[in-house]
Amino acid sequence: EKGGFEHFMLKEIHEQPKAYRDTMRGRIDATGKRVILPELKLTHEQILNIRNIQIVACGTAYHAGLVGRNVIEQLVRIPVETDVASEYRYRSPIVTPETLVIVVSQSGETADTLAALREAKANGAHVLAITNVVGSSIARDADDVIATLAGPEIAVASTKAYTSQLIAFYLFGLYLAEVRGTQTPEAVTEIIQAMQELPEQLEGMLENSDSIKAYAEQIAHHEHLFFIGRGVDFAVAQEGSLKLKEISYIHSEAYPAGELKHGTLALIEEGIPVIALVTQESVYEKTVSNIKEVNARGADIMAITYEDHVSTLLKSVDQVFAIPKTLPLLTPALSVVPLQLLAYYASLARGNDVDKPRNLAKSVTVE
Ligand code: F6R
């Protein structure tokens, strides 16, 4: 049942290239130039009328929604807010019939997300669910569903569900951009082509991940560490931090790289591990200067970046894990994978129950 893998989590990490292909299949037209989402009831007229988008989810699905916000805002220039479902409901969010609410849920049964969906509908919003379970309560109650086709996810720590949620956001963002005419056809084609390369790029990464295992064994005896990044790198940092916490029980915090010096830098001391995501060219220099700030305080830094930055970064960091080149918006679909493996191997090194971490359940049906 675990397909030769020691744990469901490792199996599911390795299923991600397939999940990417399955989630994209049939949703890109034969010319490779357009996204088609025939399942959507949302009309072009409704899309043209959208004034704001609210993405609502919990945990890992919320982190996918943070990337989704960047994707939609950059591609479509519609204002997007991403909220944790248990907060969203109680802040009386401003929802109108021109609001599109996107709920994201692997299981489709998360109580807070379901309640947020119902509330948004009651306020007249159109609700789109991105879910991995088509027969779920959330899929049934939503006006529209984009199914992620990751297959059943058994490990409590979500991996392939998260990355296929990212693929769903890329597809939906491109679809909105086409309908609203906010991207040139060339730009759309370029993104689609880069998306189609992701599965193979990921396969290559999974074959060459031994250094992550060694690094995980090195951090396994630490009690605190930090993840830093900017833009979508910060969104991925938050997911990396959650993954590590839930299965290795190592305390970590994800910080926007530029925010450290406003307080948290006080916690950086000799030998503390810091994992820096450095994939966004537009803020590369700024992130490097934040890395130098922590390096100067003696942090032990591991950077996740592109091959062409490795040699310069090695002047300020201790280790580097290189990811294949892709477009800036698409990097989360690759850069999160070393963090999933890091959490996995750190959990293993600590002798924890990887697939069934203490205190946690796969589906959270209480509010
Ligand atoms: C983390 C994890 C949880 C879930 C969260 C939402 O690895 O699995 O944070 O992401 O409980 O669950 P779904 O997506 O089923 O709504």
Side-chain angles (χ1 to χ4, degrees):
E1 56 173 357
K2 292 180 195 148
F5 290 98
E6 202 180 331
H7 296 94
F8 282 111
M9 184 181 178
L10 193 59
K11 172 174 179 265
E12 289 161 4
I13 288 172
H14 283 263
E15 282 170 346
Q16 291 178 112
K18 179 177 186 309
Y20 287 13
R21 291 191 180 100
D22 289 347
T23 301
M24 281 189 265
R25 184 169 302 121
R27 288 168 169 161
I28 293 168
D29 80 347
T31 65
K33 291 186 174 156
R34 282 184 55 232
V35 167
I36 41 176
L37 292 169
E39 62 266 60
L40 290 189
K41 294 191 208 98
L42 194 67
T43 63
H44 284 202
E45 196 192 337
Q46 279 174 305
I47 290 176
L48 293 171
N49 286 335
I50 296 171
R51 307 226 3 204
N52 68 319
I53 295 180
Q54 294 171 342
I55 302 173
V56 187
C58 301
T60 287
Y62 164 72
H63 294 150
L66 293 176
V67 177
R69 176 176 70 191
N70 278 267
V71 171
I72 295 172
E73 286 196 338
Q74 287 192 35
L75 294 180
V76 203
R77 310 305 295 160
I78 296 175
V80 184
E81 302 162 272
T82 301
D83 247 310
V84 165
S86 57
E87 289 295 316
Y88 174 83
R89 291 173 58 200
Y90 303 108
R91 72 174 171 90
S92 53
I94 300 164
V95 178
T96 72
E98 280 87 48
T99 305
L100 174 69
V101 173
I102 305 177
V103 293
V104 191
S105 176
Q106 188 286 126
S107 64
E109 300 298 343
T110 301
D112 278 310
T113 310
L114 182 59
L117 177 167
R118 289 181 175 152
E119 168 134 353
K121 266 183 81 168
N123 286 314
H126 187 92
V127 181
L128 163 68
I130 294 177
T131 181
N132 203 36
V133 182
V134 286
S136 61
S137 309
I138 285 176
R140 271 201 312 272
D141 277 23
D143 299 299
D144 261 316
V145 176
I146 295 180
T148 49
L149 299 170
E153 192 178 63
I154 310 294
V156 166
S158 180
T159 55
K160 63 177 183 172
Y162 168 82
T163 46
S164 56
Q165 287 157 2
L166 299 183
I167 299 294
F169 272 116
Y170 296 137
L171 291 169
F172 186 64
L174 286 169
Y175 183 75
L176 291 182
E178 284 169 34
V179 174
R180 291 177 63 122
T182 50
Q183 296 293 319
T184 62
E186 294 73 33
V188 171
T189 307
E190 190 193 7
I191 298 171
I192 291 177
Q193 274 171 2
M195 282 177 70
Q196 287 173 320
E197 285 170 24
L198 291 171
E200 217 173 298
Q201 290 178 316
L202 184 48
E203 277 159 1
M205 285 174 69
L206 289 167
E207 276 163 28
N208 295 297
S209 56
D210 290 355
S211 62
I212 291 290
K213 181 166 188 247
Y215 181 67
E217 283 159 7
Q218 188 187 320
I219 61 149
H221 66 275
H222 282 267
E223 288 306 327
H224 306 280
L225 64 89
F226 291 90
F227 290 84
I228 59 171
R230 288 170 179 257
V232 288
D233 281 346
F234 172 49
V236 173
Q238 290 174 79
E239 172 57 9
S241 175
L242 176 64
K243 211 94 302 176
L244 188 71
K245 276 179 277 210
E246 67 177 324
I247 58 171
S248 76
Y249 317 145
I250 298 171
H251 169 242
S252 67
E253 275 189 64
Y255 254 78
E259 183 67 7
L260 276 178
K261 55 180 157 310
H262 299 285
T264 306
L265 198 56
L267 290 172
I268 304 293
E269 51 187 10
E270 196 64 38
I272 192 150
V274 174
I275 297 165
L277 288 116
V278 201
T279 72
Q280 301 298 298
E281 298 300 341
S282 60
V283 287
Y284 176 78
E285 294 300 335
K286 300 253 184 257
T287 309
V288 170
S289 52
N290 302 134
I291 285 175
K292 288 180 178 159
E293 290 163 2
V294 288
N295 183 42
R297 272 88 190 169
D300 188 351
I301 310 168
M302 204 271 281
I304 294 177
T305 191
Y306 291 130
E307 197 63 57
D308 42 342
H309 292 313
V310 168
S311 55
T312 34
L313 269 180
L314 277 172
K315 290 180 195 144
S316 337
V317 309
D318 302 275
Q319 296 184 44
V320 171
F321 185 84
I323 64 162
K325 196 89 190 178
T326 186
L327 296 173
L329 271 184
L330 303 185
T331 55
L334 298 176
S335 62
V336 74
V337 177
L339 304 185
Q340 295 170 340
L341 288 166
L342 180 68
Y344 174 79
Y345 287 117
S347 174
L348 206 62
R350 290 185 147 214
N352 296 348
D353 187 344
V354 176
D355 283 336
K356 288 201 175 61
R358 68 187 183 202
N359 310 344
L360 300 176
K362 183 67 184 162
S363 184
V364 184
T365 52
V366 290
E367 290 179 19

